Amino acid sequence: SYELTQPPSVSVSPGQTARITCSGDALPKQYAYWYQQKPGQAPVLVIYKDSERPSGIPERFSGSSSGTTVTLTISGVQAEDEADYYCQSADSSGTVVFGGGTKLTVL
Amino acid sequence: EVQLVESGGGLVKPGGSLRLSCAASGFTFSSYSMNWVRQAPGKGLEWVSSISSSSSYIYYADSVKGRFTISRDNAKNSLYLQMNSLRAEDTAVYYCARDPAAADGFYYFDYWGQGTLVTVSS
């Protein structure tokens, strides 16, 4: 299997734009997915197939991909967006891998 | 409304066994691949195992291969994880999660349960 690398932490002020990156050698060939997890809660899917947003997820959440790096962008960050964010991908055999997670702090 | 409810967690001694269950409702369980994902205290997410809708395809993380067995009963809308030879490092919250598109070759999770805590300690 392979690894996905995320920064441990990102900090932004309310109203600013947060960008969380995820790097992995297989990302040019495999889709990436993003989950938000708040303390004591189960993860929630916020982006799938690199840039698609599930119903019910605010438009301020977006995803993009370039080469071996995918990026989760949160525009106009709100206090409620403070959480851990995990990227995830899989190889062609169905083996799933998660990034180590990024703690987003809203200052 | 999709619901996934895990049960069966608890305290077990190293080397012991435990069987987790996940009761599904609100969707056609037999049409979806299902997964177990775990999270050690204060740590990140780790995929554990997946099973296709008809149980034809089963995959495990290397960390649990040979010790854990995933299964499902579509008649009972239930997913299971039999965990044997448990180690301290298996201590985690175990989530069951639905994969909406595994049949199309996309592996991700659109619904998660609230998790059940497994503690392996003497």
Side-chain angles (χ1 to χ4, degrees), chain B residues 38-78:
Chain B
R38 68 184 180 183
Q39 186 170 35
K43 302 297 185 182
L45 301 171
E46 179 187 16
W47 170 77
V48 173
S49 182
S50 67
I51 185 168
S52 63
S53 57
S54 61
S55 305
S56 297
Y57 300 98
I58 290 176
Y59 304 104
Y60 297 98
D62 288 343
S63 58
V64 306
K65 204 171 293 183
R67 300 187 300 122
F68 290 11
T69 302
I70 192 172
S71 62
R72 64 190 295 162
D73 186 336
N74 287 343
K76 294 183 178 179
N77 290 340
S78 293

Coordinates of all heavy atoms in Angstrom, one line a residue, chain B residues 38-78:
Chain B
R38 N -11.1 1.8 12.2 CA -10.9 2.0 13.6 C -10.1 3.3 13.9 O -9.4 3.8 13.0 CB -10.2 0.8 14.3 CG -8.8 0.6 13.8 CD -8.3 -0.7 14.4 NE -6.9 -1.0 14.1 CZ -6.2 -2.1 14.4 NH1 -6.8 -3.0 15.1 NH2 -5.0 -2.2 14.0
Q39 N -10.2 3.7 15.2 CA -9.4 4.9 15.6 C -8.9 4.7 17.0 O -9.7 4.7 17.9 CB -10.3 6.2 15.5 CG -9.6 7.5 15.7 CD -10.5 8.7 15.4 OE1 -11.7 8.6 15.6 NE2 -9.9 9.7 14.9
A40 N -7.6 4.6 17.1 CA -7.0 4.4 18.5 C -7.2 5.8 19.2 O -7.3 6.8 18.6 CB -5.6 4.1 18.4
P41 N -7.2 5.7 20.5 CA -7.5 7.0 21.3 C -6.4 8.1 20.9 O -5.2 7.8 21.0 CB -7.3 6.5 22.8 CG -7.6 5.0 22.7 CD -7.1 4.5 21.4
G42 N -7.0 9.2 20.5 CA -6.1 10.3 20.2 C -5.4 10.2 18.9 O -4.5 11.0 18.6
K43 N -5.7 9.2 18.1 CA -4.9 8.9 16.9 C -5.9 9.1 15.7 O -7.0 9.4 15.8 CB -4.4 7.5 16.9 CG -3.4 7.2 18.0 CD -2.2 8.1 18.0 CE -1.2 7.7 19.1 NZ 0.0 8.6 19.1
G44 N -5.3 8.8 14.5 CA -6.1 9.0 13.2 C -6.9 7.8 12.9 O -6.9 6.8 13.6
L45 N -7.5 7.9 11.7 CA -8.4 6.8 11.2 C -7.5 5.7 10.5 O -6.5 6.0 9.9 CB -9.4 7.3 10.2 CG -10.3 8.4 10.7 CD1 -11.1 9.0 9.6 CD2 -11.3 7.8 11.8
E46 N -7.9 4.5 10.8 CA -7.2 3.3 10.1 C -8.3 2.4 9.6 O -9.1 1.8 10.3 CB -6.3 2.6 11.1 CG -5.6 1.4 10.5 CD -4.9 0.5 11.5 OE1 -5.1 0.6 12.7 OE2 -4.0 -0.3 11.1
W47 N -8.2 2.2 8.3 CA -9.1 1.2 7.6 C -8.7 -0.2 8.1 O -7.6 -0.6 8.2 CB -9.1 1.3 6.1 CG -9.8 0.2 5.4 CD1 -11.1 0.1 5.2 CD2 -9.2 -0.9 4.8 NE1 -11.4 -1.0 4.5 CE2 -10.2 -1.7 4.2 CE3 -7.8 -1.4 4.6 CZ2 -10.0 -2.8 3.5 CZ3 -7.6 -2.5 3.9 CH2 -8.6 -3.3 3.4
V48 N -9.8 -1.0 8.4 CA -9.5 -2.4 8.9 C -9.9 -3.5 7.9 O -9.1 -4.4 7.6 CB -10.3 -2.6 10.2 CG1 -10.2 -4.1 10.7 CG2 -9.9 -1.7 11.3
S49 N -11.1 -3.4 7.3 CA -11.5 -4.5 6.5 C -12.7 -4.0 5.7 O -13.5 -3.1 6.1 CB -11.9 -5.7 7.3 OG -12.3 -6.8 6.5
S50 N -12.9 -4.7 4.5 CA -14.1 -4.4 3.7 C -14.7 -5.7 3.2 O -13.9 -6.7 3.0 CB -13.8 -3.5 2.5 OG -12.9 -4.2 1.6
I51 N -16.0 -5.7 2.9 CA -16.7 -6.9 2.3 C -17.6 -6.4 1.3 O -18.4 -5.4 1.5 CB -17.3 -7.7 3.5 CG1 -18.0 -9.0 2.9 CG2 -18.4 -6.8 4.2 CD1 -18.4 -9.9 4.0
S52 N -17.7 -7.1 0.2 CA -18.6 -6.7 -0.9 C -20.0 -7.1 -0.6 O -20.3 -7.8 0.4 CB -18.1 -7.3 -2.2 OG -18.2 -8.7 -2.2
S53 N -20.9 -6.6 -1.4 CA -22.3 -6.8 -1.1 C -22.7 -8.3 -1.0 O -23.6 -8.6 -0.1 CB -23.2 -6.1 -2.2 OG -22.9 -6.7 -3.5
S54 N -22.1 -9.1 -1.8 CA -22.5 -10.5 -1.7 C -21.4 -11.4 -1.0 O -21.4 -12.6 -1.1 CB -22.7 -11.1 -3.1 OG -21.4 -10.9 -3.9
S55 N -20.5 -10.7 -0.4 CA -19.4 -11.3 0.4 C -18.4 -12.0 -0.6 O -17.5 -12.8 -0.1 CB -19.9 -12.4 1.4 OG -20.8 -11.8 2.3
S56 N -18.4 -11.7 -1.8 CA -17.5 -12.3 -2.8 C -16.1 -11.7 -2.7 O -15.1 -12.5 -2.9 CB -18.0 -12.1 -4.2 OG -19.2 -12.7 -4.4
Y57 N -16.0 -10.5 -2.3 CA -14.7 -9.9 -2.2 C -14.5 -9.4 -0.7 O -15.3 -8.6 -0.2 CB -14.5 -8.7 -3.1 CG -14.7 -9.1 -4.6 CD1 -15.9 -9.0 -5.2 CD2 -13.6 -9.7 -5.3 CE1 -16.1 -9.4 -6.5 CE2 -13.8 -10.1 -6.6 CZ -15.0 -9.9 -7.2 OH -15.2 -10.3 -8.5
I58 N -13.4 -9.8 -0.1 CA -13.0 -9.4 1.2 C -11.6 -9.0 1.3 O -10.7 -9.6 0.7 CB -13.3 -10.6 2.2 CG1 -14.8 -10.8 2.4 CG2 -12.6 -10.4 3.5 CD1 -15.1 -12.0 3.2
Y59 N -11.3 -7.9 2.0 CA -10.0 -7.3 2.1 C -9.7 -7.0 3.5 O -10.6 -6.6 4.3 CB -9.8 -6.1 1.2 CG -10.1 -6.3 -0.3 CD1 -11.3 -5.8 -0.8 CD2 -9.3 -7.0 -1.1 CE1 -11.7 -6.0 -2.1 CE2 -9.6 -7.2 -2.4 CZ -10.8 -6.7 -2.9 OH -11.1 -6.9 -4.3
Y60 N -8.4 -7.1 3.9 CA -8.0 -6.7 5.3 C -6.8 -5.8 5.2 O -5.9 -6.0 4.3 CB -7.7 -8.0 6.1 CG -8.8 -8.9 6.3 CD1 -9.0 -10.0 5.5 CD2 -9.7 -8.7 7.3 CE1 -10.1 -10.9 5.7 CE2 -10.8 -9.6 7.5 CZ -11.0 -10.7 6.7 OH -12.0 -11.5 6.9
A61 N -6.6 -5.0 6.2 CA -5.4 -4.3 6.4 C -4.3 -5.3 6.9 O -4.7 -6.3 7.6 CB -5.5 -3.2 7.5
D62 N -3.1 -5.1 6.6 CA -2.0 -6.0 7.0 C -2.0 -6.2 8.5 O -1.6 -7.2 9.0 CB -0.7 -5.5 6.5 CG -0.5 -5.6 5.0 OD1 -1.3 -6.4 4.3 OD2 0.4 -5.0 4.4
S63 N -2.3 -5.1 9.2 CA -2.2 -5.1 10.7 C -3.2 -6.1 11.3 O -3.0 -6.5 12.5 CB -2.4 -3.7 11.2 OG -3.7 -3.2 10.8
V64 N -4.2 -6.6 10.6 CA -5.2 -7.5 11.2 C -5.4 -8.8 10.5 O -6.1 -9.7 10.9 CB -6.6 -6.8 11.3 CG1 -6.5 -5.4 12.1 CG2 -7.2 -6.6 10.0
K65 N -4.7 -8.9 9.3 CA -4.8 -10.1 8.5 C -4.4 -11.3 9.3 O -3.4 -11.3 10.0 CB -3.9 -9.9 7.3 CG -4.3 -10.7 6.1 CD -3.5 -10.3 4.8 CE -3.8 -9.0 4.3 NZ -3.1 -8.6 3.1
G66 N -5.3 -12.3 9.2 CA -5.0 -13.6 9.9 C -5.6 -13.6 11.3 O -5.6 -14.7 11.9
R67 N -6.0 -12.4 11.8 CA -6.6 -12.4 13.2 C -8.0 -12.0 13.2 O -8.8 -12.4 14.0 CB -5.8 -11.4 14.0 CG -4.3 -11.7 14.2 CD -3.6 -10.8 15.2 NE -3.6 -9.4 14.8 CZ -4.2 -8.4 15.5 NH1 -4.7 -8.7 16.7 NH2 -4.2 -7.2 15.1
F68 N -8.4 -11.1 12.2 CA -9.8 -10.6 12.2 C -10.5 -11.2 11.0 O -9.9 -11.5 9.9 CB -9.8 -9.1 12.0 CG -9.3 -8.3 13.2 CD1 -8.7 -8.9 14.3 CD2 -9.5 -6.9 13.2 CE1 -8.3 -8.2 15.4 CE2 -9.1 -6.2 14.3 CZ -8.5 -6.8 15.4
T69 N -11.8 -11.4 11.1 CA -12.6 -11.9 10.0 C -13.9 -11.1 9.9 O -14.6 -10.9 10.9 CB -13.0 -13.4 10.3 OG1 -11.9 -14.2 10.4 CG2 -13.9 -13.9 9.1
I70 N -14.1 -10.6 8.7 CA -15.3 -9.8 8.5 C -16.3 -10.7 7.8 O -16.0 -11.6 7.1 CB -15.0 -8.6 7.5 CG1 -16.1 -7.6 7.5 CG2 -14.6 -9.0 6.1 CD1 -15.8 -6.3 6.7
S71 N -17.6 -10.4 8.1 CA -18.7 -11.2 7.5 C -19.9 -10.4 7.6 O -20.0 -9.3 8.2 CB -18.9 -12.6 8.3 OG -19.3 -12.3 9.6
R72 N -21.0 -10.8 6.9 CA -22.2 -10.1 6.9 C -23.4 -11.1 6.7 O -23.2 -12.2 6.2 CB -22.3 -9.1 5.7 CG -22.2 -9.7 4.3 CD -21.9 -8.6 3.3 NE -23.1 -7.7 3.2 CZ -23.0 -6.5 2.7 NH1 -21.9 -6.0 2.2 NH2 -24.1 -5.7 2.6
D73 N -24.5 -10.7 7.1 CA -25.8 -11.5 7.0 C -26.8 -10.5 6.4 O -27.4 -9.7 7.1 CB -26.2 -12.0 8.3 CG -27.5 -13.0 8.2 OD1 -28.2 -12.8 7.2 OD2 -27.6 -13.8 9.1
N74 N -27.0 -10.6 5.1 CA -27.9 -9.7 4.4 C -29.3 -9.9 4.8 O -30.1 -9.0 4.7 CB -27.7 -9.9 2.9 CG -26.4 -9.3 2.4 OD1 -25.8 -8.5 3.0 ND2 -26.0 -9.7 1.2
A75 N -29.7 -11.1 5.2 CA -31.1 -11.4 5.7 C -31.3 -10.6 7.0 O -32.5 -10.3 7.3 CB -31.3 -12.8 5.9
K76 N -30.3 -10.4 7.8 CA -30.4 -9.7 9.1 C -29.9 -8.3 9.0 O -29.9 -7.6 10.0 CB -29.7 -10.5 10.1 CG -30.2 -11.8 10.4 CD -29.5 -12.5 11.6 CE -30.1 -13.9 11.9 NZ -29.3 -14.6 13.0
N77 N -29.5 -7.8 7.8 CA -29.0 -6.4 7.7 C -27.9 -6.1 8.7 O -27.9 -5.1 9.3 CB -30.1 -5.4 7.8 CG -31.1 -5.4 6.7 OD1 -30.8 -5.9 5.6 ND2 -32.3 -4.9 6.9
S78 N -27.0 -7.1 8.8 CA -26.0 -7.0 9.8 C -24.6 -7.3 9.2 O -24.4 -8.1 8.4 CB -26.3 -7.9 10.9 OG -27.4 -7.5 11.7

